[in-house]
Amino acid sequence: MLAALLVMALGAVILGAALGYAAVRFRVEGDPLTEKIDAILPQTQCGQCGFPGCKPYATAIAKGEADINQCPPGGDEGIRKLADLLGREYKPLSAEHGVEKPKALAVIDEQRCIGCTLCIQACPVDAIVGAAKQMHTVVAVQCTGCELCVPVCPVDCIAMEPIAENITTWKWKYPVVTIKPVTTH
Amino acid sequence: MEVSGRDHQTRHHTLTMRLFDFNGGVKPDYQKEASTQTPIAVSPTPTFLVIPLHQSIGGTPRPLVSVDDRVLKGQRIGAADASISGDLSSAVHASTSGHVVAVEMRLMPHPSGLSALCVVIAPDGRDEWIERKPFDYRYHTRDETRDYLRDAGVVGLGGAVFPTHLKISSGKEDRLDTLIINGAECEPYITCDDALMKERADAIIQGVAILHDLLAAGQVLIGIEDNKPEAIAAMQAAVRARNPSDMEVIAVPTRYPAGGAKQLIRVLTGIEVPHGKRSTDYGVQCFNVGTAYAIHEAINLGQPLISRIVTVAGNVTTPRNYEVLVGTPMKTLLAQSQRLPDTDCLIMGGPMMGVALPSDEVPVVKATNCILAGSKKLFPPPPPEMPCIRCGECATVCPADLQPFELYWFSRAKIFGKAQEYHLFDCIECGCCSYVCPSHIPLVDYYRFAKSEIWAHESEKESADKARDHYEFRQLREERETQERSARLAAKAATSRTAAMAVPETPATENIPVSATGSATPAALIAAALERARAQQVHPKNTTDLTPAQQAEIAAIEARRTEIRTQAHPHLPLDD
Ligand code: SF4
Ligand code: SF4
Ligand code: SF4
Ligand code: SF4
């Protein structure tokens, strides 16, 4: 028990150190522009932009190697923000990179999962947990909805389910300015 | 910070205390008389009680019952689940005895028209209580008392349904100077607090005494608008009868929204809580009279919060107050008060701050202080919205000292950052600005829109930041794994070469991280990895004693895995 606790504690320390190191290691030195661009990108890490994640795409934009309209999850709003930041002209989302979709979560059909671990390896944000030959499941809060796990599943047991609005995520709508007939007396 | 409001030495010298004033405010038509003519009626138990699990700020409690379970009155049916919602939630209870007939999504008393998880109970008519034990907080730690109140489902009954136990904890660090009990009830039509104070003043005062004790408050000021003379008299009599030290009932001038927490604090103590600050930072806490009553019931009687007083008013024949079991469908109450046929809308709350309801099927919840039936005649549709003429009327009446027209402008143009700079989140949505606006702009609608957009953006930003961390961590881990692999491989290569030629040579690959995969032949790497894996003989427990077929399958998976790994990160070296 104590050993297990120690291992866990050690694990936590190493993880923390690793995360700290990651922060240092992956910082693009002397290029705050990349950081600013990356802050706008949705961090879905889906690769639809043609780069293996949001940071590489941000780097490419900063270097002028990629256009600002390649990120479907960021959508129109994302493009507008990038255009603002970079002082460029807004342009609609490039069709070859995909279309903007409502955000969805991956759901694994736990009956059919064979525990092959392929989805775990495909997931860019470690949102799938499970061991070899054990049933896998998606940690919903961590899933970005990138869909990368869907095609790799050999038994097609992963489906993307759109996130339904609920009482807590519901938003007040923009007040509609209704044109009412003026009553004359 | 102003402290002049606290230096009065008089006890029970009600109405002689020096009062302060808040800026702005309006005097709408109060319409309160109709529902205060008759005493509180007990509403009939309906055929089905629909009890939403989510009734307070915070996460949704976890259901504790399932279909066919028999429940007793006061039995906990939803637990504030620490693992889901932390401490930030409050329990819910069966409001009478009966059987659970469903745990399902039902329409909520919420402007969204959305459903949420509810426990549906068919009452058995016996109204059989759980065992009720008073809780003597004096023999328990503060944390135990907090947990007790959370599990008794006590939340703020003024309308915000903020879990009460969360407010108790804040007094821990520094003792409270002033405890304010809010009986102002400033919104038109609503009279539930008035009725409660008139009829159950002593129980309220007992609840107030508990709060006084728990929060170690210096003084207690009970503020009631001066249009409720009977309530003031009843509360004063109750205070006199118990003769507590440092407790005063104070009549405050009737002006909407005197019942806003910051406004009442200002009127009673003179303390002006600045933008973006909380009253606790200034040694003041505010509780509603209904909440004090619920605390008394929970602590002194051992009864969780299962009912509340609800005003039914507006377009009905007999407006009055009811004591209602939580979960009672609103149409039951509207039938009692005889809703008029031309009713065309239902509002939960008052005409200034209330929200439109999607249906009369929705249940009464802890937040329901008033059900207001509306008609074209009672609440004529507003004239068309005109452009803002920047007349400044709205700023004159804003009790939160904001500039509503600026907030409107930025919310309308979706320039949310600016709206926040102009303290959008200090807007209490009182509706004074919309009330006076000569251009009939539904200003509060714009503020609500802007606030929920900002909240949504913030939570998106938060999850994006988390995703970035997870992604970067994974990158790091993969890089490290590749590095370790190549290092091992290099060491091995070196050893074999040493063995073969006895010429040691440090391979250059050792210090080159990711690109090592690129420079060595992938086939060799895979072969080596497989070789090493075989050599290491480390197998998870559930992979021993496998049939050859299973082993072949695993090998195939392993190969695919390696392949995917190399395919998935062709751009990795770009980052260097
Ligand atoms: S397309 Fe996907 S990976 Fe690329 S920037 Fe957008 S979210 Fe990130
Ligand atoms: S679980 Fe699937 S959809 Fe969700 S982040 Fe991981 S790979 Fe993407
Ligand atoms: S009251 Fe209405 S018209 Fe006047 S400044 Fe305010 S929003 Fe504009
Ligand atoms: S609704 Fe907000 S902006 Fe308008 S008067 Fe009230 S506090 Fe001020």
Side-chain angles (χ1 to χ4, degrees), chain A residues 29-77:
Chain A
E29 289 298 334
D31 192 11
L33 184 60
T34 308
E35 299 281 302
K36 280 192 192 141
I37 297 171
D38 193 43
I40 293 174
L41 297 176
Q43 305 303 318
T44 310
Q45 317 293 2
C46 62
Q48 289 181 81
C49 49
F51 295 86
C54 303
K55 189 55 143 304
Y57 177 44
T59 315
I61 296 179
K63 286 190 190 148
E65 289 163 5
D67 215 334
I68 57 169
N69 63 343
Q70 302 182 1
C71 169
D76 230 36
E77 205 188 316

Side-chain angles (χ1 to χ4, degrees), chain B residues 134-146 148 214:
Chain B
F135 178 88
D136 197 335
Y137 64 92
R138 282 162 300 193
Y139 298 112
H140 286 88
T141 64
R142 186 188 281 274
D143 278 345
E144 285 164 354
T145 308
R146 291 187 63 208
Y148 177 81
L214 274 176

Side-chain angles (χ1 to χ4, degrees), chain B residues 242-357:
Chain B
R242 296 208 167 254
N243 196 30
S245 58
D246 302 312
M247 200 185 283
E248 279 186 82
V249 176
I250 297 149
V252 301
T254 297
R255 180 157 49 105
Y256 179 82
K262 282 190 179 175
Q263 286 67 40
L264 190 62
I265 288 170
R266 175 108 177 96
V267 169
L268 292 177
T269 67
I271 295 172
E272 193 165 351
V273 182
H275 290 308
K277 293 275 187 196
R278 271 177 295 181
S279 67
T280 40
D281 302 339
Y282 294 82
V284 189
Q285 271 269 35
C286 190
F287 290 83
N288 175 266
V289 284
T291 316
Y293 180 77
I295 289 171
H296 157 72
E297 290 211 308
I299 301 257
N300 294 338
L301 308 179
Q303 297 182 4
L305 180 56
I306 53 159
S307 65
R308 66 157 298 149
I309 312 295
V310 179
T311 307
V312 180
N315 204 37
V316 293
T317 315
T318 49
R320 80 183 291 176
N321 282 292
Y322 296 89
E323 174 151 34
V324 189
L325 297 179
V326 167
T328 304
M330 291 192 181
K331 63 175 181 196
T332 310
L333 289 174
L334 287 161
Q336 289 289 306
S337 272
Q338 296 154 51
R339 161 175 38 175
L340 293 169
D342 63 335
T343 300
D344 63 355
C345 71
L346 287 179
I347 295 166
M348 184 165 98
M352 302 291 285
M353 296 180 76
V355 290
L357 293 172

Side-chain angles (χ1 to χ4, degrees), chain B residues 212-225:
Chain B
H212 189 183
D213 228 15
L214 274 176
L215 298 169
Q219 59 169 353
V220 184
L221 304 177
I222 303 170
I224 305 170
E225 272 193 347

Side-chain angles (χ1 to χ4, degrees), chain B residues 387-395 404-405 408 433 436-441 443:
Chain B
C388 167
I389 53 170
R390 295 184 89 86
C391 64
E393 281 297 306
C394 49
F405 55 88
Y408 158 67
C433 50
V436 298
C437 175
S439 292
H440 312 293
I441 304 171
L443 294 161

